[in-house]
Coordinates of all heavy atoms in Angstrom, one line a residue:
M6 N 113.6 122.3 99.9 CA 114.5 121.2 99.8 C 113.9 119.9 100.2 O 113.1 119.9 101.0 CB 115.7 121.4 100.6 CG 116.9 120.4 100.5 SD 117.5 120.3 98.8 CE 118.6 122.0 98.8
I7 N 114.2 118.8 99.3 CA 113.5 117.6 99.6 C 114.0 116.9 100.9 O 115.1 116.9 101.1 CB 113.9 116.6 98.3 CG1 113.3 117.3 97.0 CG2 113.4 115.3 98.5 CD1 113.9 116.5 95.7
D8 N 113.1 116.3 101.5 CA 113.6 115.6 102.8 C 113.7 114.2 102.4 O 112.8 113.4 102.2 CB 112.3 115.7 103.8 CG 112.8 115.1 105.1 OD1 113.8 114.5 105.2 OD2 111.9 115.2 106.0
L9 N 115.0 113.8 102.2 CA 115.3 112.5 101.7 C 114.8 111.3 102.9 O 114.7 110.3 102.5 CB 116.8 112.3 101.5 CG 117.2 113.1 100.4 CD1 118.8 113.0 100.2 CD2 116.5 112.8 99.1
D10 N 114.8 111.8 104.1 CA 114.4 110.8 105.1 C 112.9 110.3 104.9 O 112.6 109.3 105.3 CB 114.5 111.6 106.5 CG 115.7 111.3 107.3 OD1 116.5 110.5 106.7 OD2 115.8 111.9 108.3
Q11 N 112.2 111.0 104.2 CA 110.7 110.6 103.9 C 110.5 109.9 102.6 O 109.6 109.3 102.4 CB 109.8 111.9 103.9 CG 109.9 112.7 105.2 CD 109.5 111.9 106.4 OE1 108.6 111.0 106.4 NE2 110.4 112.1 107.4
C12 N 111.7 109.7 101.9 CA 111.6 108.7 100.7 C 111.4 107.3 101.1 O 111.9 106.8 102.1 CB 112.9 108.8 99.9 SG 113.2 110.4 99.2
E13 N 110.4 106.8 100.2 CA 110.0 105.3 100.8 C 110.6 104.4 99.7 O 110.7 104.7 98.5 CB 108.5 105.3 100.7 CG 107.8 105.7 102.0 CD 106.4 105.2 102.0 OE1 105.8 104.8 100.9 OE2 105.8 105.4 103.0
I14 N 110.9 103.2 100.1 CA 111.3 102.1 99.3 C 110.6 100.9 99.9 O 110.1 100.9 101.0 CB 112.8 101.9 99.2 CG1 113.3 101.4 100.7 CG2 113.6 103.1 98.7 CD1 114.7 100.9 100.7
E15 N 110.5 99.8 99.0 CA 109.9 98.6 99.6 C 110.9 97.6 99.8 O 111.9 97.4 99.1 CB 108.9 98.0 98.4 CG 107.7 98.9 98.3 CD 106.6 98.3 97.5 OE1 107.1 97.6 96.6 OE2 105.4 98.6 97.8
V16 N 110.8 96.9 100.9 CA 111.6 95.8 101.4 C 110.9 94.5 101.4 O 109.6 94.6 101.7 CB 112.4 96.2 102.7 CG1 113.2 97.3 102.7 CG2 111.4 96.3 103.9
S17 N 111.4 93.4 101.1 CA 110.8 92.2 101.1 C 111.1 91.5 102.4 O 112.1 91.3 103.0 CB 111.2 91.2 99.9 OG 110.7 90.0 100.1
C18 N 109.8 91.0 103.1 CA 110.0 90.2 104.3 C 110.7 88.9 104.1 O 110.5 88.1 103.2 CB 108.5 89.9 104.8 SG 108.5 88.8 106.3
P19 N 111.7 88.6 104.9 CA 112.5 87.5 104.7 C 111.7 86.1 105.1 O 112.1 85.0 104.5 CB 113.6 87.6 105.7 CG 113.2 88.7 106.7 CD 112.2 89.4 106.0
T20 N 110.6 86.3 105.8 CA 109.8 85.1 106.1 C 108.7 84.8 105.1 O 108.6 83.7 104.8 CB 109.1 85.4 107.5 OG1 110.2 85.8 108.6 CG2 108.4 84.1 108.1
C21 N 108.0 85.8 104.6 CA 106.9 85.4 103.8 C 107.0 86.1 102.4 O 106.2 85.8 101.5 CB 105.5 85.9 104.5 SG 105.3 87.7 104.5
G22 N 107.9 87.0 102.2 CA 108.1 87.8 100.9 C 107.1 88.9 100.8 O 107.3 89.5 99.7
F23 N 106.3 89.3 101.7 CA 105.5 90.4 101.4 C 106.2 91.7 101.4 O 107.2 91.8 102.1 CB 104.4 90.4 102.8 CG 103.3 91.4 102.5 CD1 102.1 90.9 102.0 CD2 103.4 92.7 103.0 CE1 101.0 91.8 101.9 CE2 102.3 93.6 102.8 CZ 101.1 93.0 102.3
Y24 N 105.8 92.6 100.6 CA 106.6 93.7 100.5 C 106.0 94.9 101.3 O 104.8 95.1 101.4 CB 106.6 94.3 99.0 CG 107.5 93.6 98.1 CD1 107.2 92.5 97.3 CD2 108.8 94.0 98.0 CE1 108.1 91.8 96.6 CE2 109.8 93.3 97.2 CZ 109.4 92.3 96.6 OH 110.3 91.5 95.9
E25 N 107.0 95.5 102.1 CA 106.6 96.4 103.0 C 107.3 97.8 102.7 O 108.4 97.9 102.6 CB 107.1 96.0 104.5 CG 106.6 96.8 105.7 CD 105.1 96.6 105.9 OE1 104.6 95.4 105.6 OE2 104.4 97.5 106.3
P26 N 106.5 98.9 102.6 CA 107.1 100.2 102.4 C 107.7 100.8 103.7 O 107.2 100.6 104.8 CB 105.9 101.0 102.1 CG 104.7 100.5 102.7 CD 105.1 99.0 102.8
V27 N 109.0 101.2 103.6 CA 109.8 101.9 104.7 C 110.4 103.1 104.2 O 110.7 103.2 103.0 CB 110.8 100.8 105.3 CG1 110.1 99.6 105.8 CG2 111.8 100.5 104.3
T28 N 110.7 104.0 105.2 CA 111.2 105.1 104.8 C 112.8 105.1 105.0 O 113.2 104.3 105.7 CB 110.8 106.3 105.6 OG1 111.1 106.3 106.9 CG2 109.3 106.6 105.5
L29 N 113.6 105.9 104.4 CA 115.1 106.0 104.5 C 115.4 106.2 106.0 O 116.4 105.8 106.6 CB 115.6 106.9 103.6 CG 115.6 106.7 102.0 CD1 116.4 107.6 101.3 CD2 116.1 105.2 101.8
K30 N 114.5 107.1 106.6 CA 114.7 107.4 108.1 C 114.6 106.2 108.9 O 115.5 105.9 109.8 CB 113.8 108.5 108.5 CG 114.0 108.8 110.0 CD 113.0 109.9 110.3 CE 113.3 110.4 111.8 NZ 112.4 111.4 112.3
Q31 N 113.7 105.3 108.5 CA 113.4 104.1 109.3 C 114.8 103.3 109.2 O 115.2 102.5 110.1 CB 112.2 103.3 109.0 CG 110.9 104.0 109.3 CD 109.7 103.1 108.9 OE1 109.5 103.1 107.6 NE2 108.9 102.6 109.7
I32 N 115.1 103.2 107.9 CA 116.4 102.3 107.7 C 117.6 102.8 108.3 O 118.3 102.2 109.1 CB 116.7 102.1 106.3 CG1 115.5 101.6 105.5 CG2 117.9 101.3 106.0 CD1 115.5 101.5 104.0
R33 N 117.8 104.2 108.4 CA 119.0 104.9 109.0 C 119.0 104.8 110.5 O 120.1 104.6 111.0 CB 118.8 106.4 108.6 CG 120.0 107.2 109.0 CD 119.9 108.6 108.4 NE 118.8 109.4 108.7 CZ 118.5 110.0 109.8 NH1 119.3 110.0 110.8 NH2 117.4 110.6 110.1
L34 N 117.7 104.8 111.1 CA 117.7 104.5 112.5 C 117.7 103.1 113.0 O 117.6 102.8 114.2 CB 116.4 105.4 113.1 CG 116.5 106.9 112.8 CD1 115.2 107.4 113.4 CD2 117.7 107.4 113.4
G35 N 117.6 102.2 111.9 CA 117.5 100.8 112.4 C 116.2 100.4 113.1 O 116.2 99.6 113.9
D36 N 115.1 100.9 112.6 CA 113.8 100.6 113.2 C 113.4 99.2 113.0 O 113.9 98.5 112.2 CB 112.7 101.5 112.4 CG 112.5 102.9 113.1 OD1 113.4 103.2 114.0 OD2 111.7 103.6 112.6
V37 N 112.4 98.8 113.8 CA 111.7 97.5 113.6 C 110.4 97.7 113.2 O 109.6 98.5 113.8 CB 111.7 96.6 115.1 CG1 110.9 95.4 114.8 CG2 113.2 96.5 115.6
V38 N 110.1 97.1 112.0 CA 108.8 97.2 111.5 C 108.0 95.9 111.5 O 108.7 94.7 111.4 CB 108.7 97.7 110.0 CG1 109.2 99.1 110.0 CG2 109.5 96.9 109.1
V39 N 106.8 95.8 111.7 CA 105.9 94.7 111.6 C 105.4 94.2 110.2 O 104.9 95.2 109.6 CB 104.8 94.8 112.6 CG1 103.9 93.5 112.7 CG2 105.2 95.0 114.0
C40 N 105.7 93.1 109.8 CA 105.2 92.7 108.4 C 103.7 92.6 108.4 O 103.2 92.1 109.3 CB 105.9 91.3 108.1 SG 105.2 90.7 106.6
R41 N 103.1 93.3 107.4 CA 101.7 93.1 107.3 C 101.2 91.8 106.9 O 100.1 91.5 106.9 CB 101.2 94.3 106.3 CG 101.4 95.6 107.0 CD 100.9 96.7 106.1 NE 101.8 96.7 104.9 CZ 101.3 97.3 103.6 NH1 100.2 97.9 103.5 NH2 102.2 97.3 102.7
G42 N 102.2 91.1 106.3 CA 101.8 89.7 105.8 C 101.7 88.7 106.8 O 100.7 88.0 107.1
C43 N 102.9 88.4 107.5 CA 102.9 87.4 108.5 C 103.1 88.0 109.9 O 103.1 87.1 110.9 CB 104.1 86.4 108.2 SG 105.7 87.2 108.4
K44 N 103.1 89.2 110.2 CA 103.1 89.9 111.4 C 104.5 89.6 112.2 O 104.5 89.9 113.5 CB 102.0 89.3 112.4 CG 100.6 89.5 111.8 CD 100.4 90.9 111.4 CE 98.8 91.0 110.8 NZ 98.7 92.2 110.0
S45 N 105.5 89.2 111.5 CA 106.7 89.0 112.2 C 107.6 90.4 112.2 O 107.2 91.3 111.3 CB 107.6 88.0 111.5 OG 108.0 88.3 110.2
N46 N 108.4 90.5 113.1 CA 109.2 91.8 113.3 C 110.4 91.7 112.3 O 111.1 90.6 112.2 CB 109.7 91.9 114.7 CG 108.6 92.2 115.8 OD1 107.5 92.7 115.3 ND2 108.9 92.0 117.1
M47 N 110.7 92.9 111.7 CA 111.8 92.9 110.8 C 112.6 94.1 111.2 O 112.1 95.2 111.2 CB 111.4 93.2 109.3 CG 110.5 92.1 108.7 SD 110.2 92.4 106.9 CE 109.1 93.9 106.9
R48 N 113.9 93.9 111.6 CA 114.8 94.9 111.9 C 115.4 95.4 110.7 O 116.1 94.5 110.0 CB 115.7 94.5 113.0 CG 116.9 95.5 113.3 CD 117.7 95.2 114.4 NE 117.0 95.1 115.7 CZ 116.7 96.2 116.4 NH1 116.9 97.4 116.0 NH2 116.0 96.0 117.5
L49 N 115.4 96.6 110.5 CA 116.0 97.2 109.3 C 117.4 97.6 109.6 O 117.8 98.3 110.5 CB 115.3 98.5 108.9 CG 113.8 98.3 108.7 CD1 113.1 99.7 108.5 CD2 113.6 97.5 107.5
I50 N 118.3 97.1 108.8 CA 119.9 97.1 109.0 C 120.4 97.8 107.7 O 120.3 97.4 106.6 CB 120.4 95.8 109.3 CG1 119.9 95.2 110.6 CG2 122.0 96.0 109.4 CD1 120.3 93.7 110.9
D51 N 121.0 98.9 108.0 CA 121.7 99.6 107.0 C 123.1 99.0 106.8 O 124.2 99.7 107.4 CB 121.7 101.2 107.3 CG 122.4 101.9 106.2 OD1 122.8 101.3 105.0 OD2 122.7 103.1 106.4
H52 N 123.3 98.0 106.2 CA 124.5 97.2 106.0 C 125.6 98.1 105.4 O 125.3 98.6 104.3 CB 124.5 96.0 105.3 CG 125.6 95.2 105.2 ND1 126.2 94.6 106.2 CD2 126.4 94.8 104.2 CE1 127.3 93.9 105.9 NE2 127.4 94.0 104.6
M53 N 126.7 98.3 106.0 CA 127.9 99.1 105.3 C 127.3 100.6 105.2 O 128.0 101.2 104.4 CB 128.4 98.5 104.1 CG 128.8 97.1 104.1 SD 130.3 96.8 105.2 CE 131.4 97.5 104.0
H54 N 126.3 101.0 105.7 CA 126.0 102.4 105.7 C 125.5 102.9 104.3 O 125.9 104.0 103.9 CB 126.9 103.4 106.5 CG 127.3 103.0 107.8 ND1 126.3 103.2 108.9 CD2 128.4 102.4 108.4 CE1 126.9 102.8 110.0 NE2 128.1 102.4 109.6
E55 N 125.0 101.9 103.6 CA 124.7 102.1 102.2 C 123.6 103.3 102.0 O 123.6 104.1 101.0 CB 124.1 101.0 101.4 CG 125.3 100.0 101.3 CD 126.4 100.4 100.5 OE1 126.1 101.1 99.5 OE2 127.6 100.0 100.9
V56 N 122.7 103.4 103.0 CA 121.6 104.4 103.0 C 122.4 105.9 103.1 O 122.1 106.8 102.3 CB 120.6 104.4 104.1 CG1 119.7 105.6 104.1 CG2 119.8 103.1 103.7
A57 N 123.4 106.0 104.0 CA 124.0 107.2 104.3 C 124.8 107.6 102.8 O 124.9 108.7 102.6 CB 125.0 107.2 105.4
K58 N 125.5 106.6 102.3 CA 126.3 106.8 101.1 C 125.1 107.4 100.0 O 125.6 108.3 99.2 CB 127.0 105.6 100.7 CG 128.1 105.2 101.6 CD 128.6 103.9 101.2 CE 129.7 103.6 102.2 NZ 130.1 102.1 101.9
A59 N 124.2 106.7 99.9 CA 123.1 106.9 98.8 C 122.6 108.4 99.1 O 122.5 109.2 98.1 CB 122.0 106.0 98.8
R60 N 122.3 108.7 100.3 CA 121.8 110.1 100.7 C 122.8 111.1 100.2 O 122.5 112.1 99.7 CB 121.5 110.2 102.2 CG 120.2 109.6 102.5 CD 120.1 109.4 104.1 NE 120.3 110.7 104.7 CZ 119.4 111.6 105.1 NH1 118.2 111.2 104.8 NH2 119.7 112.6 105.6
K61 N 124.1 110.9 100.5 CA 125.2 111.9 100.1 C 125.2 112.1 98.6 O 125.4 113.1 98.0 CB 126.5 111.4 100.7 CG 126.6 111.7 102.1 CD 128.1 111.3 102.6 CE 128.3 111.4 104.2 NZ 129.5 110.9 104.7
A62 N 125.1 110.9 97.9 CA 125.2 111.0 96.4 C 124.0 111.7 95.9 O 124.2 112.6 95.0 CB 125.3 109.5 95.9
I63 N 122.9 111.5 96.5 CA 121.6 112.2 95.9 C 121.8 113.7 96.3 O 121.5 114.6 95.5 CB 120.4 111.6 96.6 CG1 120.2 110.2 96.1 CG2 119.1 112.5 96.3 CD1 119.1 109.4 96.8
R64 N 122.3 114.0 97.4 CA 122.4 115.4 97.9 C 123.4 116.1 96.9 O 123.2 117.2 96.5 CB 122.9 115.4 99.4 CG 123.1 116.9 99.9 CD 121.9 117.6 100.0 NE 120.8 117.0 100.8 CZ 119.5 117.1 100.5 NH1 119.1 117.9 99.5 NH2 118.6 116.5 101.4
R65 N 124.4 115.5 96.5 CA 125.5 116.0 95.7 C 124.8 116.4 94.3 O 125.0 117.5 93.7 CB 126.6 115.1 95.5 CG 127.7 115.3 96.6 CD 129.0 114.7 96.1 NE 128.9 113.2 95.7 CZ 129.0 112.2 96.7 NH1 129.3 112.4 97.9 NH2 128.8 111.0 96.2
Q66 N 123.9 115.4 93.8 CA 123.3 115.6 92.5 C 122.3 116.7 92.6 O 122.4 117.5 91.7 CB 122.7 114.3 92.0 CG 123.7 113.2 91.7 CD 124.5 113.5 90.6 OE1 124.1 114.0 89.6 NE2 126.0 113.3 90.8
L67 N 121.6 116.9 93.8 CA 120.6 118.0 93.8 C 121.3 119.3 93.8 O 120.8 120.2 93.2 CB 119.7 117.7 95.1 CG 118.8 116.6 95.0 CD1 118.1 116.3 96.3 CD2 117.7 116.9 94.0
D68 N 122.4 119.3 94.6 CA 123.2 120.6 94.6 C 123.7 121.0 93.3 O 123.7 122.0 93.0 CB 124.4 120.4 95.6 CG 123.9 120.4 97.2 OD1 122.7 120.7 97.3 OD2 124.8 120.1 98.0
A69 N 124.2 120.0 92.4 CA 124.7 120.2 91.2 C 123.6 120.7 90.3 O 123.7 121.7 89.4 CB 125.4 118.9 90.6
L70 N 122.4 120.1 90.4 CA 121.2 120.5 89.6 C 120.9 122.0 89.9 O 120.6 122.7 89.0 CB 120.0 119.7 90.0 CG 118.7 120.0 89.2 CD1 118.9 119.9 87.6 CD2 117.7 119.0 89.7
A71 N 120.8 122.3 91.2 CA 120.5 123.7 91.7 C 121.5 124.8 91.2 O 121.2 125.8 90.7 CB 120.4 123.8 93.2
E72 N 122.9 124.2 91.2 CA 123.9 125.2 90.7 C 123.7 125.4 89.2 O 124.0 126.5 88.7 CB 125.3 124.5 91.1 CG 126.4 125.5 90.6 CD 127.8 124.8 91.0 OE1 127.9 124.3 92.2 OE2 128.6 124.9 90.2
Y73 N 123.4 124.4 88.4 CA 123.2 124.5 87.0 C 122.2 125.3 86.7 O 122.3 126.1 85.7 CB 123.1 122.9 86.5 CG 122.7 123.0 85.0 CD1 123.8 123.2 84.0 CD2 121.4 122.9 84.5 CE1 123.4 123.2 82.7 CE2 121.0 122.9 83.1 CZ 122.1 123.1 82.2 OH 121.8 123.2 81.0
A74 N 121.0 125.1 87.4 CA 119.7 126.0 87.2 C 120.1 127.4 87.4 O 119.6 128.4 86.8 CB 118.7 125.5 88.2
Q75 N 120.8 127.7 88.5 CA 121.2 129.1 88.8 C 121.9 129.7 87.6 O 121.8 130.9 87.4 CB 121.9 129.2 90.1 CG 121.2 129.2 91.3 CD 122.0 129.4 92.5 OE1 123.1 129.0 92.6 NE2 121.3 130.0 93.6
K76 N 122.8 129.1 87.1 CA 123.6 129.5 86.0 C 122.8 129.9 84.7 O 123.2 130.6 83.9 CB 124.9 128.6 85.7 CG 125.9 128.6 86.7 CD 127.0 127.7 86.5 CE 128.0 127.7 87.6 NZ 129.1 126.6 87.4
T77 N 121.9 128.9 84.6 CA 121.3 128.8 83.1 C 119.9 129.5 83.0 O 119.5 129.8 81.8 CB 121.1 127.3 82.7 OG1 120.4 126.5 83.6 CG2 122.6 126.7 82.4
I78 N 119.2 129.6 84.1 CA 117.8 130.1 84.0 C 117.8 131.7 84.0 O 118.6 132.3 84.8 CB 117.0 129.6 85.2 CG1 116.7 128.2 85.2 CG2 115.6 130.4 85.4 CD1 116.0 127.6 86.3
T79 N 117.2 132.2 83.0 CA 117.2 133.7 82.9 C 115.6 134.1 83.2 O 114.7 133.6 82.6 CB 117.6 134.0 81.5 OG1 118.9 133.5 81.2 CG2 117.6 135.6 81.4
L80 N 115.6 135.2 84.0 CA 114.2 135.7 84.2 C 114.0 136.9 83.3 O 114.9 137.7 83.2 CB 114.1 136.1 85.7 CG 114.2 135.0 86.7 CD1 114.2 135.5 88.2 CD2 113.2 134.0 86.5
R81 N 112.9 136.9 82.7 CA 112.7 138.2 81.7 C 111.3 138.8 82.3 O 110.4 137.9 82.5 CB 112.4 137.6 80.5 CG 113.8 137.3 79.7 CD 113.6 136.8 78.4 NE 115.0 136.3 78.1 CZ 115.4 135.9 76.8 NH1 114.5 136.0 76.0 NH2 116.6 135.4 76.6
F82 N 111.2 140.1 82.3 CA 110.0 140.7 82.6 C 109.4 141.6 81.5 O 110.1 141.9 80.7 CB 110.3 141.6 84.0 CG 110.8 140.8 85.2 CD1 112.1 140.7 85.5 CD2 109.9 140.1 85.9 CE1 112.6 139.9 86.5 CE2 110.2 139.3 87.1 CZ 111.6 139.2 87.3
Ligands
ZN1373 ZN1 106.2 88.5 106.4

């Protein structure tokens, strides 16, 4: 099963605009990352729990894909 916590997205530093890769886990936990451009601290905030909502939506789609595959894949020997 895919570990969605390890999925990376890029966020833009509000100070210098440098793009920083962060994981969904870091966002979910509200981590602080140091910008590689200007060295300022960026606190990751999951406003309105959008990461949790996206994770649930992705999980539902993966479950639907697995269910579809189980119904349609035929093994022949
Ligand atoms: Zn920066």
Side-chain angles (χ1 to χ4, degrees):
M6 190 56 77
I7 298 170
D8 183 0
L9 296 176
D10 265 350
Q11 299 308 314
C12 291
E13 278 189 352
I14 63 169
E15 287 189 330
V16 296
S17 174
C18 173
T20 304
C21 72
F23 194 88
Y24 281 92
E25 189 71 33
V27 298
T28 65
L29 291 184
K30 182 178 182 180
Q31 287 177 296
I32 298 171
R33 185 170 57 79
L34 297 177
D36 277 1
V37 175
V38 296
V39 178
C40 173
R41 290 180 295 163
C43 67
K44 308 299 182 203
S45 65
N46 289 340
M47 296 188 294
R48 175 170 295 282
L49 303 171
I50 299 171
D51 184 9
H52 183 67
M53 303 292 286
H54 303 289
E55 292 299 321
V56 170
K58 292 175 188 172
R60 285 168 50 94
K61 284 182 184 174
I63 292 168
R64 179 65 56 214
R65 277 195 302 271
Q66 292 299 313
L67 290 173
D68 289 346
L70 176 64
E72 186 178 316
Y73 176 78
Q75 279 186 329
K76 289 179 183 175
T77 59
I78 292 176
T79 303
L80 299 177
R81 295 185 184 181
F82 298 99

